[in-house]
Amino acid sequence: MRVATSASSSVTPNEVNSEPTCYCGLQSPILMAKTKKNAGRRFHGCAKFDSPSCCNFFMWVDPKIPNHVRDMIVDLLERNQTLSESSQSRGDGVEVSSLLAEIKTQKAKNRRLKVELAQVKKGKMLYQSAFILCKCYIAILVMYNVKVGGKFLSLP
């Protein structure tokens, strides 16, 4: 079994146990490389990787990835970083819960407006029906030549 102490050395996955421990004696977590050369490639590192007492244990989990796949991963990581920075610079500190509450409020308002619109349309239809009935009544009076009060639709 070959294990190197340098941060750039590695051991192939077939040469180690499935749950390696770092030189500190702790179970080694699986981390993901974010460098352009190895973007997205997983590796085992020291359990104290963010501490000054890190033992610099390092072992690749994934085999080397093809350049075109690496380039896609790098592009996606850069896009993600750009989106994160742009949302921070715009001050998008609005929480999702407040946005969901606003959506719920707007949907309720939309439902109320639809009900109100339906009532207005119904009222409009009633007025149109009354107007048509009046026109029909006048037409019937004219057709039958009905006289009102002894005079045919005369004004005073």
Side-chain angles (χ1 to χ4, degrees):
M1 178 172 175
R2 179 184 72 202
V3 177
T5 59
S6 117
S8 62
S9 301
S10 67
V11 179
T12 61
N14 295 334
E15 297 177 316
V16 296
N17 299 333
S18 61
E19 295 182 10
T21 56
C22 68
Y23 303 126
C24 300
L26 302 171
Q27 186 174 353
S28 175
I30 295 178
L31 306 169
M32 186 179 299
K34 294 182 182 174
T35 63
K36 287 190 177 188
K37 183 177 178 185
N38 293 300
R41 194 171 173 193
R42 296 177 306 157
F43 64 93
H44 284 281
C46 175
K48 301 178 184 177
F49 66 92
D50 59 350
S51 162
S53 61
C54 175
C55 69
N56 294 323
F57 175 78
F58 179 85
M59 180 180 68
W60 287 116
V61 172
D62 297 327
K64 184 167 174 37
I65 57 176
N67 289 342
H68 71 281
V69 174
R70 183 200 64 222
D71 293 343
M72 286 190 308
I73 292 171
V74 168
D75 183 50
L76 290 171
L77 288 171
E78 288 173 353
R79 286 183 189 183
N80 186 35
Q81 182 65 29
T82 301
L83 287 172
S84 293
E85 289 170 358
S86 82
S87 72
Q88 288 173 358
S89 67
R90 286 191 320 243
D92 289 349
V94 180
E95 292 185 26
V96 174
S97 59
S98 65
L99 291 174
L100 291 174
E102 179 65 23
I103 289 171
K104 188 176 180 180
T105 303
Q106 290 300 324
K107 283 184 177 182
K109 183 177 179 181
N110 191 17
R111 282 191 297 273
R112 286 192 307 271
L113 289 173
K114 282 182 179 182
V115 168
E116 187 178 331
L117 178 62
Q119 290 172 346
V120 168
K121 284 182 178 181
K122 186 177 179 181
K124 179 182 174 186
M125 192 169 56
L126 288 173
Y127 282 116
Q128 288 175 336
S129 298
F131 182 72
I132 290 171
L133 285 173
C134 287
K135 285 173 77 174
C136 289
Y137 181 71
I138 292 171
I140 290 171
L141 287 177
V142 169
M143 283 189 329
Y144 288 110
N145 223 356
V146 176
K147 296 185 178 184
V148 178
K151 299 180 183 175
F152 179 74
L153 295 176
S154 62
L155 295 173

